[in-house]
Amino acid sequence: MNTILRWLLDLVARFVRTLDWPLLGALLALMGIGLAVLHSAGGQNLALVQSQGARYVVGLGVMWLLSRVPPAPLRRATPAFYAVSLLPLLVVLFVGTGRSGAHWINLGVFYFQPAELMKLSLPMMAAWMLAQSAPPPRPGVLLSTVAIIGVPTGLILLQPDFGTAMLVAASGVFALYLAGLSAWWFVIAGAGAATVAGLALFAPIGWFSFLRPYQQDRILTFRDPQNDPLGAGWNIIQSKIAIGSGGATGQGWGEGTQSHLNYVPEHTTDFIFAVLAEEFGWLGVATVLALYAFVIGRCLWIAAGAREPFARIVAGSFGLALSVYVVVNGGMISGLLPVVGVPMPLLSFGGTAAVSLLAGMGVVMAVGAHGQGKR
């Protein structure tokens, strides 16, 4: 009996040995909080919670599978994975659906968002290219990496989905930073991008030629939500009321009036963080932000211990990209940034985003396991 028990324990240990338990614990905590807030925001809709829970299970399965693959095979498969990820971005332009563009592909069983897949493949492809030379990257490698970032970013902008395009591009920019590119390049590129964006947004020809009506509304609303409090400004005004009414400890789980009376828009998706703030207050917000900070820090710690450039750049890029997702969504629902339709990782309802994020964490775990000599 003892022999069988030892054999079973050894079998389990072999299956989970590549998992990073501190990282997994923080991710499970975020998912648990996400399901609790979703249960409240969705009006105690158990089917909604079960649906999201099933997506988490799929994501955890993908994470576990990827954690068992050493970085070397991942690196060899990266170019093919990147090429395959570009195909749905082309297909969605012709058959995609969405309220303000072609963002989703209806697969019958579920809706698939191709841009989310690029959040996984683009950092890997950028790392693959940048690992070809010693830091800092040579001009040829640098230009190739810029093209790797630019092609999917441009395709996502055509949908149009400005928010996701910028997040995808950011993951590639982080790869450049981790590869040793001088900070001056980022300063120059940032100044150039700000100039071009300013001309496109505020020059009359740019305002009417490049921005769609809903994008114009978002910018005007960001500048002054009170200009249209019952129209374009409604979302952010109600979100800020929900955040403020939460106070230090919140109104209680399931007791948020702004979300339950349907004042907060998209309260199960993009604005779910406002529901968290209303019902759990600053204490709940601080707890979730601390968990995010731990996940990001753990990714960077694993990246710092990686043996090879590809693994280091990939793990670091996934961690830094997560920080941007959190900052953009948090800034959006609090009125500090324009509304761009970016979900809060592992809190907002949605399958593609959750699975792609957990898959990225699986790659990070693979880097950690490889660096620790695990197989």
Side-chain angles (χ1 to χ4, degrees):
M1 186 65 180
N2 289 336
T3 302
I4 296 176
L5 182 60
R6 285 197 299 269
W7 179 80
L8 289 174
L9 291 175
D10 182 65
L11 183 64
V12 171
R14 287 177 179 272
F15 271 96
V16 301
R17 66 193 305 178
T18 56
L19 296 177
D20 185 272
W21 290 104
L23 180 56
L24 177 60
L27 293 171
L28 289 174
L30 284 169
M31 286 184 278
I33 293 172
L35 291 177
V37 178
L38 182 63
H39 182 266
S40 174
Q44 288 76 48
N45 186 340
L46 189 59
L48 191 70
V49 177
Q50 292 173 337
S51 176
Q52 184 68 0
R55 291 168 168 85
Y56 287 155
V57 170
V58 172
L60 289 170
V62 174
M63 182 186 72
W64 174 76
L65 288 173
L66 288 174
S67 74
R68 300 187 62 81
V69 182
L74 287 174
R75 185 178 65 247
R76 290 193 295 269
T78 290
F81 178 42
Y82 176 79
V84 170
S85 299
L86 286 174
L87 294 178
L89 286 180
L90 292 170
V91 173
V92 75
L93 296 177
F94 300 97
V95 302
T97 62
R99 284 183 297 181
S100 57
H103 305 154
W104 304 82
I105 297 177
N106 186 354
L107 299 179
V109 180
F110 62 93
Y111 283 86
F112 170 66
Q113 187 176 8
E116 291 292 337
L117 188 61
M118 193 53 62
K119 291 180 182 178
L120 180 65
S121 64
L122 189 147
M124 295 177 66
M125 187 62 195
W128 180 88
M129 178 58 65
L130 292 166
Q132 305 299 316
S133 66
R138 298 191 305 267
V141 172
L142 177 60
L143 290 175
S144 298
T145 305
V146 170
I148 289 169
I149 298 171
V151 170
T153 301
L155 290 174
I156 297 171
L157 285 173
L158 290 175
Q159 295 181 8
D161 189 345
F162 181 81
T164 303
M166 294 303 99
L167 294 182
V168 168
S171 65
V173 171
F174 286 134
L176 286 169
Y177 171 75
L178 293 168
L181 188 64
S182 172
W184 283 108
W185 285 102
F186 296 101
V187 173
I188 295 171
T195 301
V196 172
L199 292 174
L201 294 179
F202 299 108
I205 187 173
W207 180 266
F208 293 106
S209 300
F210 299 107
L211 297 180
R212 297 195 175 191
Y214 79 93
Q215 292 172 324
Q216 296 172 3
D217 288 340
R218 285 178 174 179
I219 295 171
L220 293 174
T221 300
F222 169 66
R223 294 174 63 185
D224 186 5
Q226 296 297 336
N227 269 342
D228 188 9
L230 298 180
W234 174 267
N235 293 358
I236 189 61
I237 291 172
Q238 299 304 321
S239 177
K240 291 166 72 173
I241 292 173
I243 294 171
S245 65
T249 57
Q251 296 186 12
W253 184 39
E255 301 297 328
T257 55
Q258 288 295 109
S259 57
H260 288 280
L261 295 177
N262 291 323
Y263 285 109
V264 176
E266 308 293 342
H267 48 267
T268 61
T269 52
D270 295 346
F271 284 82
I272 196 170
F273 202 52
V275 179
L276 171 78
E278 182 183 25
E279 298 191 351
F280 296 95
W282 169 245
L283 182 62
V285 170
T287 300
V288 170
L289 291 179
L291 287 170
Y292 281 129
F294 179 84
V295 171
I296 295 164
R298 188 67 180 175
C299 290
L300 295 178
W301 184 86
I302 291 173
R307 296 176 178 176
E308 54 184 14
F310 171 81
R312 175 176 55 81
I313 295 171
V314 163
S317 296
F318 283 135
L320 292 174
L322 176 60
S323 68
V324 176
Y325 306 156
V326 174
V327 168
V328 170
N329 182 272
M332 179 186 76
I333 61 108
S334 58
L336 299 176
L337 293 173
V339 176
V340 290
V342 173
M344 184 60 85
L346 298 181
L347 293 188
S348 297
F349 179 78
T352 312
V355 172
S356 65
L357 176 64
L358 291 172
M361 293 298 104
V363 175
V364 173
M365 289 182 183
V367 172
H370 180 78
Q372 298 166 11
K374 297 178 184 177
R375 295 291 186 272

